């Protein structure tokens, strides 16, 4: 049998498929006597892919036989659900029968045989049946496999006896693809957080900065002479995956301190500070660090928190000590 060399047209560009094994393509092989099928469109890339015909080996369809356009691609941290909106498409006017399996992908787009960027900033717990729980904000890469049932293959073969060949072209390596066992596709899921604004206040008399999600506290401090400096960050609402940020108050100096660290809270309480509970929550994502700075010369307003690297660097030049990341903004 002759070695097969195929050509695919994508965005009016010729792409030669070499003899290197392409085991990541989704393929269905049909013999010459089967009806033609229209070209389809990749949901991930927008590129159109047409059938490639070769007299020796038949048709190879470079497209999946299901539609994931209705599958949820955007979820929120703490949210649970199911990717159950997969629509199976006909193969030559026959509806495929089989099973859909989901898994965390290795960032390979089997639809076009191309490697996608590895986006693992987000975390999603995923079962094979498509049930998920979003755990960390960011982007997660998900893949699904549609496995054709043996009954459907028998049904198709009874209508088209020459639908499959037992010999795979050298260029496609494994004969599994020639039997059209499955079709794979990869998609990205954006994991977001519900957020509320975190307000920043400044006391021009003491030099202290105060941070709160509470608009009543903000307005009360403004009436008392504090300056409202705007939104410090977008603060995520509470989920089981968000770390709490605690507020501690020094009744002698009138100063507030914010930290994720329970040990710091306990230490300050042992020195006479008052624990005021959870002030807000830290993001599950590490994309927006909130920097902590300390003024060794001050007795009030000794700590300052900001997501601005420019503010951080300016204060360091002015003699403040940079103490690292305090928490993460949403």
């Amino acid at each position: 049998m002759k070695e097969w060399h195929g050509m695919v047209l994508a965005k009016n560009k010729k792409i030669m498929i070499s003899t290197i094994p392409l085991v990541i393509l989704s393929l269905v092989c049909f013999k010459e006597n089967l009806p033609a099928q229209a070209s389809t469109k990749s949901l991930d890339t927008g590129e159109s892919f047409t059938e490639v015909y070769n007299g020796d080996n038949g048709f190879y369809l470079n497209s999946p036989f299901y539609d994931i356009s209705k599958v949820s691609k955007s979820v929120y941290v703490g949210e649970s659900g199911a990717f159950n909106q997969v629509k199976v498409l006909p193969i030559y006017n026959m509806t495929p029968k089989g099973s859909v399996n989901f898994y965390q992908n290795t960032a390979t787009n089997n639809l076009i045989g191309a490697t996608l960027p590895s986006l693992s900033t987000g975390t999603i717990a995923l079962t094979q049946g498509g049930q998920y729980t979003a755990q960390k904000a960011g982007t997660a890469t998900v893949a699904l496999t549609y496995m054709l049932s043996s009954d459907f293959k028998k049904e198709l073969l009874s209508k088209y006896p020459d639908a499959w060949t037992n010999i795979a072209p050298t260029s496609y390596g494994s004969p599994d693809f020639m039997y059209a066992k499955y079709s794979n596709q990869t998609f990205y899921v954006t994991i977001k957080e519900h957020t509320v604004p975190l307000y920043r206040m400044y006391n021009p008399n003491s030099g202290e900065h105060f941070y709160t999600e509470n608009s009543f506290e903000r307005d009360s401090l403004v009436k008392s002479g504090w300056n409202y400096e705007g939104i410090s960050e977008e603060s995520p609402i509470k989920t089981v995956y968000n770390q709490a940020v605690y507020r501690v108050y020094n009744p002698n100096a009138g100063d507030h301190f914010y930290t994720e660290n329970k040990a710091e809270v306990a230490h300050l309480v042992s020195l006479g500070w008052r624990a005021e509970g959870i002030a807000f929550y830290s993001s599950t994502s590490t994309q927006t660090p909130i920097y902590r700075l300390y003024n060794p010369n001050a007795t009030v307003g000794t700590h300052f928190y900001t997501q601005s690297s420019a503010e951080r660097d300016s204060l360091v030049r002015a003699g403040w000590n940079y103490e690292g990341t305090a928490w993460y903004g949403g």
Side-chain angles (χ1 to χ4, degrees):
M1 180 169 138
K2 296 180 181 178
E3 190 174 55
W4 183 77
H5 295 260
M7 181 183 297
V8 177
L9 298 178
K11 290 185 177 179
N12 300 320
K13 295 182 180 180
K14 294 181 178 180
I15 302 174
M16 297 303 297
I17 301 176
S18 72
T19 60
I20 299 173
L22 299 179
V23 296
I24 57 176
L25 285 174
S26 301
L27 301 172
V28 182
C29 174
F30 293 90
K31 280 298 187 179
E32 184 174 357
N33 62 334
L34 298 185
Q37 180 167 312
S39 64
T40 57
K41 194 171 187 178
S42 160
L43 298 173
D44 287 339
T45 65
E47 297 185 19
S48 294
F49 294 85
T50 57
E51 297 171 342
V52 179
Y53 175 71
N54 175 272
D56 291 327
N57 299 313
F59 284 104
Y60 297 85
L61 304 183
N62 294 319
S63 58
F65 38 82
Y66 52 84
D67 179 0
I68 62 170
S69 60
K70 302 299 182 182
V71 174
S72 298
K73 310 290 196 317
S74 180
V75 298
Y76 285 88
V77 171
E79 176 183 297
S80 296
F83 296 124
N84 55 6
Q85 305 89 355
V86 179
K87 179 182 178 181
V88 181
L89 304 176
I91 296 178
Y92 291 107
N93 301 317
M94 296 182 66
T95 301
K97 299 179 180 67
S99 60
V100 179
N101 294 322
F102 289 82
Y103 56 94
Q104 301 251 14
N105 186 36
T106 55
T108 299
N109 186 341
N110 293 327
L111 176 62
I112 59 173
T115 299
L116 296 173
S118 180
L119 300 178
S120 57
T121 57
T123 302
I124 188 166
L126 184 65
T127 69
Q128 206 170 45
Q131 288 76 32
Y132 68 83
T133 299
Q135 299 176 332
K136 179 183 175 184
T139 304
T141 310
V142 175
L144 67 156
T145 295
Y146 190 92
M147 184 75 71
L148 291 176
S149 70
S150 58
D151 288 342
F152 173 75
K153 289 191 288 183
K154 290 176 182 178
E155 182 183 354
L156 184 59
L157 282 169
S158 67
K159 187 173 182 179
Y160 301 112
D162 297 326
W164 282 280
T165 176
N166 291 325
I167 303 175
T170 304
S171 57
Y172 281 108
S174 171
D176 285 351
F177 293 102
M178 307 306 297
Y179 284 99
K181 285 186 176 178
Y182 52 81
S183 178
N184 294 349
Q185 196 164 350
T186 299
F187 60 94
Y188 293 139
V189 177
T190 301
I191 306 168
K192 304 176 182 179
E193 287 178 314
H194 292 291
T195 61
V196 294
L198 182 67
Y199 308 113
R200 188 170 97 182
M201 314 295 297
Y202 175 67
N203 187 333
N205 299 312
S206 66
E208 180 192 4
H209 280 87
F210 183 80
Y211 305 82
T212 182
E213 294 176 346
N214 192 318
S215 58
F216 178 78
E217 281 188 318
R218 175 199 63 191
D219 295 343
S220 295
L221 290 176
V222 167
K223 292 176 184 177
S224 299
W226 290 62
N227 297 335
Y228 172 53
E229 294 190 333
I231 296 173
S232 175
E233 63 178 270
E234 290 297 324
S235 180
I237 65 170
K238 176 185 177 181
T239 75
V240 296
Y241 303 105
N242 295 95
Q243 171 66 48
V245 178
Y246 304 99
R247 190 169 85 188
V248 193
Y249 174 66
N250 185 338
N252 299 313
D255 202 9
H256 288 87
F257 179 75
Y258 304 83
T259 180
E260 288 183 335
N261 192 323
K262 290 183 178 181
E264 284 188 315
V265 173
H267 176 68
L268 290 177
V269 168
S270 71
L271 297 178
W273 292 57
R274 295 175 187 168
E276 294 188 332
I278 296 173
F280 43 85
Y281 289 87
S282 178
S283 174
T284 57
S285 170
T286 57
Q287 299 301 302
T288 308
I290 306 301
Y291 309 114
R292 187 171 99 180
L293 294 111
Y294 171 70
N295 186 343
N297 301 312
T299 55
V300 180
T302 55
H303 282 90
F304 179 73
Y305 309 86
T306 179
Q307 65 172 296
S308 170
S309 57
E311 281 188 316
R312 176 198 64 192
D313 297 343
S314 176
L315 290 177
V316 168
R317 287 193 294 269
W320 291 59
N321 297 333
Y322 172 53
E323 295 188 330
T325 297
W327 63 83
Y328 293 96

